[in-house]
Amino acid sequence: MKQIILIFVVLSFVLGTQNPLFLNETYTTSLIKIKKSIDIFYWNFESRSNPSEDSIAFWLAGGPGASSLISVLAGNGPFKLNKNQTLESNIYAWNNQANMVFVDQPVVQDQLSRKTRKSTYNVFLSVDPQNQYPSYGQFAFESGLISSYDYYVVAKPTLSDFSKLIAKKAPYKLFQPICMKGLQNIVGNDETPKFDVYDIMCTGSDCKSAFHGLSDYLNRADVYAALGVLGRTWQIESDTVYDALKYDYDQSFAQDIAFVLESGIKVLVQYGYQDFVCNYIGGLQWAENMNWNMQSDFQNSKFQDYLVDGKIEGKFKSAGKFSILIVDKSGHMVTIDQPALSLQMFNQFISNQYIRNKDQY
Ligand SMILES: *[C@@H]1O[C@H](CO)[C@@H](O)[C@H](O)[C@H]1NC(C)=O
Ligand SMILES: *[C@@H]1O[C@H](CO)[C@@H](O)[C@H](O)[C@H]1NC(C)=O
């Protein structure tokens, strides 16, 4: 009997389940026990093409502390949530040609050692704060969001002080107020920001409309039952996780990326042109300043147009296995703002035509 049960369990994992609620996508969900009373939830969607042959990709949301399930319903997941709480199939879903596992992570207890934090969550911060933070002023100025006075006299010196403190490894308590001051000079206060920090071109109440209704949907009893998580509560983001990880804002992860590249693993980073929070200026700066064995090739490499259906939708450059792609008409959420581009980029990356400059072929 035990053996039969075991075989059944294995088969049900391999075969997945279907449910009209989820438009008959083939999926599996599970809560994986990490420690006593701690588990991690994942939702795995089988590839719509050839699940047994296609790659497996893991999607880990940033935040820190944002749920990866946001993307299941808004972004690169198989669904789009309609205003009336029904689902619609997303033709640009990343599981078109890959098995996609959306993992809700990290989980934190109240007390986490710094080491544990680093191992559970790292490169999703803006990679290198010493490059990212000063870029806030430059980006805002170049985008016409602040005056030259606000840039040269106010924002630039403050953000550069911040950068120096980080270089000296000053504690969070010391650099955080300076960082906040520098940012508030640009953005205004939290209640009345001068612009949408995730998309500087977005105005009005529609800016985060893709997220509307997610919480109502994912907290439905029938959805819980179908996902096997009855008794849980879904939250779009976790303050506990955010608070536990904010101390990592001073950490640069550029050397971790260099290590990955030098181990022969390809890396692609993407930025939306209209994103302030993780803006492309800071992104390009850390990418060029990253110390690795092809640094000068990368610095010397020229940007090329990135085409989707014959139209220029961004630009990219690359060296060896490293590429950076800057996406037009997109804020922070490239998968929502440029879904076709996003799927093309992903499919190129997981196949052997990953994004490379022409002279590298
Ligand atoms: C899901 O599958 C059922 C049973 O085969 C079918 O009746 C239904 O129309 C399908 N729904 C969708 C959205 O494909
Ligand atoms: C819900 O909205 C979608 C998209 O607007 C529409 O196609 C669908 O018919 C609506 N369903 C119901 C039950 O109202």
Side-chain angles (χ1 to χ4, degrees), residues 132-175:
Q132 193 69 47
Y133 283 86
S135 79
Y136 285 135
Q138 191 187 340
F139 178 82
F141 178 55
E142 287 179 9
S143 308
L145 297 166
I146 56 173
S147 67
S148 60
Y149 175 85
D150 282 346
Y151 177 46
Y152 289 108
V153 183
V154 186
K156 199 174 178 196
T158 317
L159 290 166
S160 124
D161 285 350
F162 167 78
S163 201
K164 281 181 208 141
L165 281 176
I166 288 201
K168 285 192 212 141
K169 303 210 183 309
Y172 180 79
K173 265 193 223 141
L174 204 64
F175 70 71

Short mmCIF file of all heavy atoms in Angstrom, two decimals, residues 132-175:
data_model
loop_
_atom_site.label_atom_id
_atom_site.label_comp_id
_atom_site.label_asym_id
_atom_site.label_seq_id
_atom_site.Cartn_x
_atom_site.Cartn_y
_atom_site.Cartn_z
N GLN A 132 24.09 52.87 -7.44
CA GLN A 132 22.66 53.11 -7.60
C GLN A 132 22.21 54.41 -6.94
O GLN A 132 21.48 55.19 -7.54
CB GLN A 132 21.87 51.93 -7.02
CG GLN A 132 20.39 51.93 -7.40
CD GLN A 132 20.14 51.66 -8.87
OE1 GLN A 132 20.71 50.73 -9.44
NE2 GLN A 132 19.35 52.49 -9.50
N TYR A 133 22.66 54.67 -5.73
CA TYR A 133 22.12 55.83 -5.02
C TYR A 133 22.51 57.17 -5.65
O TYR A 133 21.63 58.01 -5.87
CB TYR A 133 22.43 55.74 -3.53
CG TYR A 133 21.50 54.75 -2.86
CD1 TYR A 133 21.80 53.40 -2.83
CD2 TYR A 133 20.28 55.17 -2.33
CE1 TYR A 133 20.92 52.49 -2.28
CE2 TYR A 133 19.40 54.27 -1.77
CZ TYR A 133 19.72 52.93 -1.73
OH TYR A 133 18.85 52.03 -1.20
N PRO A 134 23.77 57.39 -5.98
CA PRO A 134 24.08 58.66 -6.64
C PRO A 134 23.31 58.83 -7.95
O PRO A 134 23.00 59.94 -8.37
CB PRO A 134 25.59 58.57 -6.90
CG PRO A 134 26.08 57.60 -5.88
CD PRO A 134 24.97 56.61 -5.72
N SER A 135 22.96 57.71 -8.59
CA SER A 135 22.27 57.79 -9.88
C SER A 135 20.85 58.35 -9.73
O SER A 135 20.28 58.82 -10.71
CB SER A 135 22.20 56.42 -10.54
OG SER A 135 21.17 55.64 -9.96
N TYR A 136 20.28 58.31 -8.54
CA TYR A 136 18.92 58.85 -8.38
C TYR A 136 18.88 60.32 -8.78
O TYR A 136 17.96 60.75 -9.48
CB TYR A 136 18.43 58.68 -6.94
CG TYR A 136 18.04 57.25 -6.62
CD1 TYR A 136 18.44 56.63 -5.45
CD2 TYR A 136 17.25 56.54 -7.51
CE1 TYR A 136 18.08 55.33 -5.16
CE2 TYR A 136 16.89 55.22 -7.24
CZ TYR A 136 17.30 54.62 -6.06
OH TYR A 136 16.95 53.33 -5.79
N GLY A 137 19.88 61.08 -8.33
CA GLY A 137 19.92 62.49 -8.67
C GLY A 137 20.12 62.68 -10.16
O GLY A 137 19.41 63.45 -10.81
N GLN A 138 21.09 61.96 -10.71
CA GLN A 138 21.40 62.12 -12.14
C GLN A 138 20.21 61.74 -13.02
O GLN A 138 19.85 62.45 -13.96
CB GLN A 138 22.61 61.23 -12.48
CG GLN A 138 23.17 61.53 -13.86
CD GLN A 138 24.26 60.53 -14.25
OE1 GLN A 138 24.86 59.86 -13.40
NE2 GLN A 138 24.53 60.44 -15.54
N PHE A 139 19.57 60.63 -12.67
CA PHE A 139 18.42 60.17 -13.45
C PHE A 139 17.29 61.20 -13.40
O PHE A 139 16.70 61.54 -14.42
CB PHE A 139 17.93 58.82 -12.92
CG PHE A 139 16.73 58.28 -13.63
CD1 PHE A 139 16.85 57.61 -14.83
CD2 PHE A 139 15.45 58.45 -13.09
CE1 PHE A 139 15.72 57.12 -15.50
CE2 PHE A 139 14.32 57.97 -13.74
CZ PHE A 139 14.47 57.31 -14.94
N ALA A 140 17.01 61.69 -12.18
CA ALA A 140 15.91 62.65 -12.03
C ALA A 140 16.22 63.93 -12.80
O ALA A 140 15.33 64.50 -13.45
CB ALA A 140 15.69 62.96 -10.55
N PHE A 141 17.48 64.34 -12.75
CA PHE A 141 17.85 65.57 -13.46
C PHE A 141 17.76 65.36 -14.97
O PHE A 141 17.14 66.15 -15.69
CB PHE A 141 19.27 65.98 -13.05
CG PHE A 141 19.76 67.20 -13.76
CD1 PHE A 141 19.05 68.39 -13.72
CD2 PHE A 141 20.96 67.17 -14.48
CE1 PHE A 141 19.50 69.52 -14.38
CE2 PHE A 141 21.41 68.29 -15.14
CZ PHE A 141 20.68 69.47 -15.10
N GLU A 142 18.34 64.28 -15.44
CA GLU A 142 18.33 64.03 -16.90
C GLU A 142 16.93 63.79 -17.44
O GLU A 142 16.66 63.99 -18.61
CB GLU A 142 19.27 62.86 -17.25
CG GLU A 142 20.72 63.28 -17.11
CD GLU A 142 21.72 62.18 -17.42
OE1 GLU A 142 21.31 61.11 -17.92
OE2 GLU A 142 22.91 62.40 -17.15
N SER A 143 16.03 63.31 -16.57
CA SER A 143 14.65 63.07 -17.01
C SER A 143 13.78 64.30 -16.84
O SER A 143 12.57 64.24 -17.03
CB SER A 143 14.03 61.92 -16.22
OG SER A 143 14.87 60.79 -16.24
N GLY A 144 14.39 65.42 -16.40
CA GLY A 144 13.63 66.66 -16.24
C GLY A 144 12.72 66.67 -15.02
O GLY A 144 11.76 67.45 -14.96
N LEU A 145 12.99 65.80 -14.05
CA LEU A 145 12.13 65.75 -12.86
C LEU A 145 12.54 66.76 -11.81
O LEU A 145 11.75 67.14 -10.96
CB LEU A 145 12.16 64.33 -12.25
CG LEU A 145 11.63 63.19 -13.13
CD1 LEU A 145 12.04 61.84 -12.56
CD2 LEU A 145 10.11 63.28 -13.23
N ILE A 146 13.82 67.15 -11.81
CA ILE A 146 14.28 68.15 -10.85
C ILE A 146 15.10 69.22 -11.58
O ILE A 146 15.65 68.95 -12.65
CB ILE A 146 15.13 67.54 -9.70
CG1 ILE A 146 16.33 66.75 -10.23
CG2 ILE A 146 14.28 66.66 -8.79
CD1 ILE A 146 17.28 66.27 -9.14
N SER A 147 15.17 70.40 -10.96
CA SER A 147 15.91 71.51 -11.57
C SER A 147 17.41 71.29 -11.40
O SER A 147 17.84 70.45 -10.61
CB SER A 147 15.50 72.81 -10.89
OG SER A 147 15.97 72.79 -9.55
N SER A 148 18.19 72.08 -12.14
CA SER A 148 19.64 71.92 -12.01
C SER A 148 20.09 72.33 -10.60
O SER A 148 21.01 71.75 -10.04
CB SER A 148 20.39 72.69 -13.09
OG SER A 148 20.08 74.04 -12.98
N TYR A 149 19.39 73.32 -10.00
CA TYR A 149 19.72 73.70 -8.62
C TYR A 149 19.50 72.50 -7.69
O TYR A 149 20.36 72.13 -6.91
CB TYR A 149 18.87 74.89 -8.18
CG TYR A 149 19.08 75.25 -6.72
CD1 TYR A 149 20.12 76.09 -6.33
CD2 TYR A 149 18.24 74.72 -5.73
CE1 TYR A 149 20.33 76.41 -4.99
CE2 TYR A 149 18.45 75.03 -4.39
CZ TYR A 149 19.50 75.87 -4.02
OH TYR A 149 19.71 76.16 -2.70
N ASP A 150 18.32 71.89 -7.80
CA ASP A 150 18.00 70.75 -6.93
C ASP A 150 18.99 69.60 -7.13
O ASP A 150 19.29 68.86 -6.20
CB ASP A 150 16.58 70.24 -7.20
CG ASP A 150 15.54 71.13 -6.54
OD1 ASP A 150 15.94 71.94 -5.68
OD2 ASP A 150 14.35 71.04 -6.90
N TYR A 151 19.48 69.49 -8.35
CA TYR A 151 20.43 68.41 -8.60
C TYR A 151 21.83 68.76 -8.06
O TYR A 151 22.34 68.08 -7.17
CB TYR A 151 20.50 68.09 -10.09
CG TYR A 151 21.53 67.02 -10.42
CD1 TYR A 151 21.62 65.86 -9.66
CD2 TYR A 151 22.42 67.20 -11.48
CE1 TYR A 151 22.57 64.89 -9.94
CE2 TYR A 151 23.37 66.23 -11.77
CZ TYR A 151 23.44 65.08 -11.00
OH TYR A 151 24.38 64.13 -11.28
N TYR A 152 22.40 69.85 -8.58
CA TYR A 152 23.81 70.14 -8.25
C TYR A 152 24.00 70.61 -6.81
O TYR A 152 25.00 70.29 -6.18
CB TYR A 152 24.37 71.18 -9.23
CG TYR A 152 24.56 70.59 -10.61
CD1 TYR A 152 23.72 70.94 -11.66
CD2 TYR A 152 25.57 69.65 -10.84
CE1 TYR A 152 23.88 70.38 -12.91
CE2 TYR A 152 25.73 69.09 -12.10
CZ TYR A 152 24.88 69.45 -13.14
OH TYR A 152 25.03 68.89 -14.36
N VAL A 153 23.04 71.36 -6.30
CA VAL A 153 23.24 71.94 -4.97
C VAL A 153 22.68 71.05 -3.86
O VAL A 153 23.25 70.97 -2.78
CB VAL A 153 22.62 73.37 -4.91
CG1 VAL A 153 22.87 74.02 -3.56
CG2 VAL A 153 23.17 74.23 -6.04
N VAL A 154 21.57 70.39 -4.14
CA VAL A 154 20.91 69.64 -3.06
C VAL A 154 21.14 68.12 -3.16
O VAL A 154 21.76 67.51 -2.29
CB VAL A 154 19.38 69.94 -3.03
CG1 VAL A 154 18.74 69.28 -1.83
CG2 VAL A 154 19.13 71.44 -3.02
N ALA A 155 20.65 67.51 -4.24
CA ALA A 155 20.63 66.05 -4.29
C ALA A 155 22.03 65.44 -4.44
O ALA A 155 22.39 64.49 -3.73
CB ALA A 155 19.72 65.58 -5.43
N LYS A 156 22.81 65.99 -5.34
CA LYS A 156 24.09 65.37 -5.67
C LYS A 156 25.03 65.28 -4.45
O LYS A 156 25.54 64.18 -4.16
CB LYS A 156 24.76 66.13 -6.82
CG LYS A 156 25.82 65.31 -7.51
CD LYS A 156 26.37 66.02 -8.73
CE LYS A 156 27.45 65.13 -9.33
NZ LYS A 156 28.29 65.84 -10.26
N PRO A 157 25.25 66.40 -3.72
CA PRO A 157 26.14 66.29 -2.56
C PRO A 157 25.63 65.31 -1.50
O PRO A 157 26.42 64.55 -0.94
CB PRO A 157 26.17 67.72 -2.00
CG PRO A 157 25.62 68.60 -3.05
CD PRO A 157 24.77 67.78 -3.94
N THR A 158 24.32 65.31 -1.27
CA THR A 158 23.77 64.41 -0.24
C THR A 158 23.96 62.95 -0.63
O THR A 158 24.40 62.12 0.16
CB THR A 158 22.25 64.67 -0.06
OG1 THR A 158 22.03 66.05 -0.04
CG2 THR A 158 21.75 64.04 1.22
N LEU A 159 23.64 62.64 -1.89
CA LEU A 159 23.74 61.25 -2.32
C LEU A 159 25.21 60.82 -2.43
O LEU A 159 25.52 59.65 -2.23
CB LEU A 159 23.01 61.05 -3.65
CG LEU A 159 21.47 61.14 -3.53
CD1 LEU A 159 20.82 61.27 -4.88
CD2 LEU A 159 20.90 59.93 -2.78
N SER A 160 26.07 61.77 -2.69
CA SER A 160 27.48 61.40 -2.74
C SER A 160 28.04 61.17 -1.32
O SER A 160 28.85 60.27 -1.10
CB SER A 160 28.25 62.44 -3.57
OG SER A 160 29.30 62.98 -2.86
N ASP A 161 27.54 61.94 -0.33
CA ASP A 161 27.89 61.66 1.07
C ASP A 161 27.45 60.25 1.44
O ASP A 161 28.17 59.51 2.11
CB ASP A 161 27.16 62.62 2.03
CG ASP A 161 27.77 64.01 2.00
OD1 ASP A 161 28.85 64.16 1.39
OD2 ASP A 161 27.15 64.92 2.58
N PHE A 162 26.26 59.93 1.00
CA PHE A 162 25.71 58.61 1.29
C PHE A 162 26.61 57.51 0.73
O PHE A 162 26.95 56.53 1.39
CB PHE A 162 24.31 58.52 0.68
CG PHE A 162 23.76 57.14 0.65
CD1 PHE A 162 23.23 56.57 1.80
CD2 PHE A 162 23.79 56.38 -0.51
CE1 PHE A 162 22.74 55.28 1.78
CE2 PHE A 162 23.31 55.09 -0.53
CZ PHE A 162 22.79 54.54 0.61
N SER A 163 27.02 57.74 -0.52
CA SER A 163 27.86 56.77 -1.19
C SER A 163 29.19 56.57 -0.44
O SER A 163 29.69 55.45 -0.30
CB SER A 163 28.11 57.30 -2.59
OG SER A 163 28.48 56.30 -3.44
N LYS A 164 29.74 57.68 0.06
CA LYS A 164 31.01 57.60 0.80
C LYS A 164 30.83 56.82 2.10
O LYS A 164 31.69 56.02 2.49
CB LYS A 164 31.54 59.00 1.10
CG LYS A 164 32.23 59.63 -0.11
CD LYS A 164 32.76 61.02 0.25
CE LYS A 164 32.82 61.90 -0.98
NZ LYS A 164 32.42 63.28 -0.71
N LEU A 165 29.70 57.07 2.77
CA LEU A 165 29.44 56.35 4.02
C LEU A 165 29.36 54.84 3.77
O LEU A 165 29.83 54.03 4.56
CB LEU A 165 28.13 56.82 4.64
CG LEU A 165 28.18 58.15 5.40
CD1 LEU A 165 26.80 58.54 5.88
CD2 LEU A 165 29.13 58.03 6.59
N ILE A 166 28.73 54.49 2.67
CA ILE A 166 28.61 53.08 2.33
C ILE A 166 29.99 52.48 2.08
O ILE A 166 30.30 51.38 2.52
CB ILE A 166 27.71 52.90 1.10
CG1 ILE A 166 26.28 53.18 1.51
CG2 ILE A 166 27.83 51.51 0.53
CD1 ILE A 166 25.28 52.58 0.61
N ALA A 167 30.80 53.24 1.35
CA ALA A 167 32.15 52.75 1.05
C ALA A 167 32.92 52.50 2.34
O ALA A 167 33.73 51.57 2.43
CB ALA A 167 32.88 53.76 0.18
N LYS A 168 32.65 53.32 3.35
CA LYS A 168 33.33 53.15 4.64
C LYS A 168 32.63 52.12 5.52
O LYS A 168 32.95 51.98 6.69
CB LYS A 168 33.35 54.49 5.38
CG LYS A 168 34.36 55.48 4.82
CD LYS A 168 34.49 56.64 5.81
CE LYS A 168 34.80 57.93 5.08
NZ LYS A 168 34.10 59.09 5.65
N LYS A 169 31.62 51.48 4.99
CA LYS A 169 30.85 50.48 5.72
C LYS A 169 30.20 51.06 6.99
O LYS A 169 30.20 50.44 8.06
CB LYS A 169 31.70 49.26 6.07
CG LYS A 169 32.33 48.61 4.84
CD LYS A 169 32.52 47.12 5.05
CE LYS A 169 33.20 46.44 3.89
NZ LYS A 169 32.60 46.70 2.58
N ALA A 170 29.68 52.25 6.86
CA ALA A 170 28.98 52.87 7.99
C ALA A 170 27.72 52.06 8.30
O ALA A 170 27.14 51.45 7.41
CB ALA A 170 28.59 54.30 7.62
N PRO A 171 27.30 52.05 9.57
CA PRO A 171 26.11 51.27 9.92
C PRO A 171 24.83 51.88 9.33
O PRO A 171 24.77 53.08 9.07
CB PRO A 171 26.09 51.31 11.44
CG PRO A 171 26.92 52.46 11.83
CD PRO A 171 27.93 52.69 10.73
N TYR A 172 23.84 51.03 9.17
CA TYR A 172 22.54 51.41 8.60
C TYR A 172 21.98 52.67 9.25
O TYR A 172 21.52 53.57 8.57
CB TYR A 172 21.57 50.24 8.77
CG TYR A 172 20.20 50.49 8.22
CD1 TYR A 172 19.94 50.38 6.86
CD2 TYR A 172 19.14 50.82 9.07
CE1 TYR A 172 18.67 50.61 6.35
CE2 TYR A 172 17.87 51.04 8.57
CZ TYR A 172 17.63 50.94 7.21
OH TYR A 172 16.38 51.17 6.72
N LYS A 173 22.04 52.71 10.59
CA LYS A 173 21.49 53.84 11.35
C LYS A 173 22.08 55.17 10.88
O LYS A 173 21.42 56.18 10.88
CB LYS A 173 21.81 53.67 12.84
CG LYS A 173 20.71 53.02 13.61
CD LYS A 173 20.97 53.19 15.12
CE LYS A 173 20.69 51.89 15.82
NZ LYS A 173 21.60 51.55 16.88
N LEU A 174 23.34 55.12 10.49
CA LEU A 174 24.03 56.35 10.10
C LEU A 174 23.69 56.76 8.67
O LEU A 174 23.44 57.93 8.39
CB LEU A 174 25.53 56.12 10.24
CG LEU A 174 26.40 57.34 10.45
CD1 LEU A 174 26.07 58.02 11.76
CD2 LEU A 174 27.87 56.92 10.45
N PHE A 175 23.68 55.79 7.76
CA PHE A 175 23.49 56.20 6.37
C PHE A 175 22.02 56.35 5.97
O PHE A 175 21.67 57.09 5.07
CB PHE A 175 24.24 55.29 5.39
CG PHE A 175 23.72 53.89 5.25
CD1 PHE A 175 22.52 53.63 4.60
CD2 PHE A 175 24.45 52.81 5.73
CE1 PHE A 175 22.05 52.34 4.44
CE2 PHE A 175 23.98 51.52 5.58
CZ PHE A 175 22.78 51.29 4.94
#
